Amino acid sequence: MKSILTPLGPKADKDTVRRHNLSLVLRAVRDEGESGEATRAGVSARVGLTRAAVSSLVEQLMESGFLTESGKTFSGQAGRPGTALKVARTGPAGLGVEINIDYVSVCVVDLAGTGRVRQTEHLDNRGAPAGEVLARAARIAARTLDSAREQELRPVGATLALPGLVSGGSVRQAPNLGWNEVPAEDLFAEALTALRPGNPVLPVASENEANLAALAELWFGGLGDVRSFLYLTGEIGVGGALVLGGELLRGAHGFAGEIGHVVVDPDGPECRCGSRGCLEQYAGQTALLRAAGIDGSGGGAGVVELERRARAGDGRAVAALTEAGRMLGRVVSGAVNLVDPDAVVLGGIYRSLMPWLSPPADEELTGRVVSGLWSPGSGRLRASSVAGDAARGAAALVVQDVLADPVAYAEP
Amino acid sequence: MKSILTPLGPKADKDTVRRHNLSLVLRAVRDEGESGEATRAGVSARVGLTRAAVSSLVEQLMESGFLTESGKTFSGQAGRPGTALKVARTGPAGLGVEINIDYVSVCVVDLAGTGRVRQTEHLDNRGAPAGEVLARAARIAARTLDSAREQELRPVGATLALPGLVSGGSVRQAPNLGWNEVPAEDLFAEALTALRPGNPVLPVASENEANLAALAELWFGGLGDVRSFLYLTGEIGVGGALVLGGELLRGAHGFAGEIGHVVVDPDGPECRCGSRGCLEQYAGQTALLRAAGIDGSGGGAGVVELERRARAGDGRAVAALTEAGRMLGRVVSGAVNLVDPDAVVLGGIYRSLMPWLSPPADEELTGRVVSGLWSPGSGRLRASSVAGDAARGAAALVVQDVLADPVAYAEP
């Protein structure tokens, strides 16, 4: 019965405790600020540290530029004004770089989680060698970093959001980009460093884009109390992620969430992953446009056209969407039976296509979810509220590191 | 970004801290005892409390009958003998009651997790009303409790292991038993209490049987370093459970793990759950025996016959197993793509049928797991080492509660 034992670390020393408490206070101010105004008294009540301890920690966080004060507030204690605390709008920030099949989107997020700079370029990344695509992304990132500096933001790390299997800093496989074993972190970091001589080298991490889009949905979306959800994003392929109890499920090898490669028909069309009849072959953008008789080479324009035709009642467009919705519902019903999430969130191109995808998907789910807890009116199938913003999720992941240990990211 | 904040409890008071530490020490002795002999010094090093604090806690645990001492040991400190500590073989224990389609199995597990009493009765529970089945289980449980008392064991709670959707003390649906909305905990508790006048009422909990079998595998099986696995148990139906990072995934409504109702063929045979073409219809015991041309009414005897025929090279038996293995592999590949576990464990009737199920399942998995990390020789598909012992898992769940707060279970 090994698993019952709580993990036991060595006893924490004083320095570790203070760093931990600095993080607690910083995060408490960020969270209090969401619902109203943060005061030292409010933070003290929230984190369970004495008022004096909180004041000392706040002072250090202000000196290091993580917190600012802004006038008096009466919201803290009955009748006694406190000073409102805010997470700084300048200083440490995160850089997120989403490299997808037909666009690159870069953004900078500040400590409060607010997106502050965004640059997106639409282009087809499928033809070009991986090194070239990553160098192009680095150029966009360098320009974004210039903009961030003008706003006195100091990105302390970057996360790459990549449409494939990502682990150990490399893209193991990104079939829709045609990438295999691409050391993406190194290639991007080298290109970015070369573009910014004299600047400190930015640490670069990487993660699957659907995972990051799901985190963006969790952190910035309108999910309310939902803490467990399956996230599907319609792109050229179909990406997926699982958030369980507010935590991203990465899986034993970092490859969880690949719902796009769940088999629909074992003898179906060949998939780029090497298997046959994967969901992607029925509900990915390419398959959807093909079934609707729309030229898919124009990227996002094809989806706009699909939506236009469906809205106009075009039979072939509606049939293609209905069939894709049915396939989505069928595969998602299996996933719901397996992990029993609160909700299923559809992002990417699915967002605008919900009116046609949702009824057949809900019908499959209602018939196939064994708990009997799925019904068309349940609202458990919903559109992503942030359109699948992997770049923001990627940037916020860096910010999460800062919030977890601000001392490590104080101005050098 | 709400989720980033660590949950903050109120500050713990002294009494809470001592209770927590009693639990830490008790569990440390249990775990140390697994690999050798537990000493006060060894426990102190393990939990990070001073030697004096550990001695005081050990004293209290011995007085309450949770720990015993047994002679001198030299394994603790260099050259200095210590006194070996052991978890008591008497006192608080757990009762597990598995009610399955064609058997009831009851067991008592002691604080060390060892099974001490077992009573199993093979009978067909499908025909009888739920109340009658539960009353029968209560009679077996009462006899088991008598045996436990003779061993000076004192079960402090019972967990029912049930083959269906269990939540809030009731079986929402157990298609293979024909149960719907059965208040199983109450019915069982009433029957058991009536059988044991003058005894304290035993608290009764309930859980899906596959979930408990998976926990038994995690706690008592030979999984080694595997902390995340998908568990499938072949019974009349197909049960399933997901253990992620050493924790059972219960899901948002308690219904996770229902892999038996993942759809294989949307137009396939009707399933008792109300859907069509569920995995259960292809790889459950009933389907398997039917495909092999074996009379399934004899329960376990049919599976023994299937194995005998397959071993003898009977074409129809081998074909039925090959097809079932392929279906298992196909559905499991989707689950692996979704949650990326370390391993997939097959229990129940699948255990003895592995020689025939495993090759076709592995072939499907190798072709369809998108990470490319599945290969026939990987050992990631394995037989359950404890034959799917839901009753032991159920009993151990009670013991887990005792270990988490021994004070609450001290002799009254």
Side-chain angles (χ1 to χ4, degrees), chain A residues 48-60:
Chain A
L49 293 168
T50 65
R51 179 68 200 266
V54 168
S55 288
S56 155
L57 294 161
V58 163
E59 193 175 351
Q60 183 175 343

Side-chain angles (χ1 to χ4, degrees), chain A residues 291-314:
Chain A
I294 294 170
D295 175 20
S297 63
V303 178
V304 174
E305 175 63 13
L306 174 62
E307 189 188 339
R308 194 194 63 75
R309 288 193 197 178
R311 207 170 290 281
D314 176 273

Side-chain angles (χ1 to χ4, degrees), chain A residues 135-146:
Chain A
R136 197 185 285 162
R139 287 197 295 276
I140 306 174
R143 289 194 289 275
T144 307
L145 288 171
D146 288 343

Side-chain angles (χ1 to χ4, degrees), chain A residues 3 6 27 219 252-253 257 338 340, chain B residues 3 6 219 252-253 257 338 340:
Chain A
S3 76
T6 318
R27 285 178 291 154
W219 292 333
H253 315 86
L338 193 64
D340 185 20
Chain B
S3 75
T6 317
W219 292 334
H253 315 87
L338 194 62
D340 185 21

